[in-house]
Amino acid sequence: MWVMVFFDLPTETKKERKMYSDFRKKLIQDGFTMFQFSIYLRHCVSRENAAVHIARVKKSLPPKGYIGILCVTDKQFEAMELFYEKEEKNISTPYQQLELF
């Protein structure tokens, strides 16, 4: 399962830029990777694990801006088509996560 966080935060004042930077840093500290500008994603091994990370994102929401959270399955993520300058690109996951029992 993949958790995707989309955000559009104001950056006009120094305080707003600080809030933007803090939110982004918290996403990275929680294991999210930049997919595109203002779109970060993280692989989770289960819905329960995804719920934990979603709760962390909600806890760190800045007071202003638009934030969206979307969960997609591995199969849905795999079906995504990506293009760069009209050329199709293969999807490469940012990293492989291993879970030891």
Side-chain angles (χ1 to χ4, degrees):
M1 168 148 296
W2 292 87
V3 177
M4 301 179 84
V5 178
F6 311 88
F7 58 92
D8 185 12
L9 303 177
T11 57
E12 293 174 6
T13 66
K14 187 174 182 177
K15 184 178 179 181
E16 289 173 341
R17 286 190 296 275
K18 172 89 167 99
M19 287 188 290
Y20 170 91
S21 179
D22 289 346
F23 180 68
R24 187 179 165 280
K25 286 178 185 176
K26 288 177 185 175
L27 288 175
I28 292 168
Q29 287 172 350
D30 194 31
F32 284 84
T33 303
M34 187 172 78
F35 183 67
Q36 287 185 353
F37 295 117
S38 299
I39 301 175
Y40 283 71
L41 55 86
R42 184 186 202 291
H43 187 261
C44 296
V45 295
S46 66
R47 284 195 186 275
E48 294 78 17
N49 184 246
V52 168
H53 294 287
I54 290 170
R56 287 183 189 156
V57 171
K58 288 180 178 179
K59 187 177 178 183
S60 64
L61 292 176
K64 293 182 180 180
Y66 298 98
I67 295 97
I69 302 171
L70 174 68
C71 290
V72 296
T73 64
D74 289 333
K75 188 154 184 82
Q76 290 167 326
F77 187 83
E78 178 183 289
M80 187 181 340
E81 293 184 65
L82 296 176
F83 297 88
Y84 178 72
E85 298 177 354
K86 294 190 176 187
E87 292 183 22
E88 189 168 4
K89 297 290 180 183
N90 292 329
I91 298 174
S92 62
T93 56
Y95 57 87
Q96 178 110 13
Q97 184 172 358
L98 299 176
E99 183 172 326
L100 303 174
F101 295 95

